[in-house]
Amino acid sequence: MNLVTPDIGLIFWQGITFLVVLFILSRYAWKPIMKALRDREDSIQNALDEAATARKEVDELKKSQANMEEAARIEKDRILKEAKLIADKNLEEATTKASKIIGDAEEAAKQAIDKERQAAIADIKSQISTLSVQVAETLLKRELSDSNKQENLMQELINDLKVN
């Protein structure tokens, strides 16, 4: 029962033992324990700071990536517009060249047709004149076979010349 109701000597020695243990702990153990706790606290704080920095960097990278994606989209749209303009311009140029070639071909065909028509007309005139001469020759042979008819024809021609 002495432990339940301690006497003064026991309390005194327990106090001295406590103070000695406290002195030894404060002298040799307290500082390393506190240093370890402070180091642990500092490492945790550093880890939290690094995590916050990393979070900020990730946010900045996300923003940068979003900006780069937007810039790439804008550049893609610009390139597509340029390609469409170039394609439209090339199509227009090709259409213009084709129209010019077709127009030139039509003009050449018209000229060729006109030349052929003129040649055909000249040939027809030549044939008509040849036929006219042959008809006239035949008529004159019939008309002039008789001497009375010849004199009458001469008289008509002379009369026609006087009138004109």
Side-chain angles (χ1 to χ4, degrees):
M1 276 293 206
N2 284 342
L3 289 177
V4 177
T5 57
D7 67 12
I8 295 284
L10 182 61
I11 292 176
F12 174 75
W13 285 111
Q14 281 182 348
I16 290 184
T17 307
F18 177 76
L19 289 175
V20 169
V21 169
L22 185 64
F23 174 74
I24 292 173
L25 285 176
S26 69
R27 180 82 177 170
Y28 297 108
W30 194 261
K31 287 182 184 178
I33 290 173
M34 291 306 286
K35 183 179 180 285
L37 287 175
R38 272 192 304 269
D39 289 345
R40 178 73 176 152
E41 184 180 336
D42 290 343
S43 69
I44 290 171
Q45 188 61 42
N46 287 339
L48 290 174
D49 292 343
E50 287 176 3
T53 303
R55 190 175 303 119
K56 287 178 185 176
E57 288 177 1
V58 166
D59 289 341
E60 288 175 7
L61 286 174
K62 284 182 181 178
K63 288 178 185 176
S64 175
Q65 181 182 9
N67 290 340
M68 290 173 72
E69 287 175 354
E70 181 67 19
R73 186 187 60 74
I74 290 170
E75 183 68 15
K76 176 194 75 161
D77 290 343
R78 184 188 63 78
I79 290 172
L80 287 175
K81 285 179 184 176
E82 283 182 16
K84 186 175 185 318
L85 288 174
I86 290 171
D88 290 344
K89 181 181 175 187
N90 288 342
L91 178 63
E92 185 178 327
E93 287 176 1
T95 304
T96 304
K97 285 180 182 178
S99 296
K100 185 178 183 295
I101 290 171
I102 289 170
D104 292 346
E106 286 177 350
E107 186 63 32
K110 284 179 184 178
Q111 289 175 356
I113 290 170
D114 194 36
K115 284 181 182 178
E116 289 293 324
R117 186 174 54 83
Q118 288 175 358
I121 289 172
D123 187 40
I124 289 172
K125 284 181 181 180
S126 171
Q127 288 177 4
I128 288 173
S129 65
T130 303
L131 286 174
S132 296
V133 168
Q134 287 175 353
V135 167
E137 184 180 322
T138 305
L139 285 175
L140 284 174
K141 280 182 185 179
R142 282 187 192 165
E143 289 291 322
L144 297 178
S145 63
D146 186 12
S147 64
N148 283 335
K149 287 183 181 178
Q150 285 179 7
E151 284 181 26
N152 287 337
L153 180 62
M154 290 300 264
Q155 201 59 41
E156 277 181 39
L157 287 173
I158 291 172
N159 290 336
D160 282 343
L161 284 174
K162 289 180 184 177
V163 173
N164 289 332

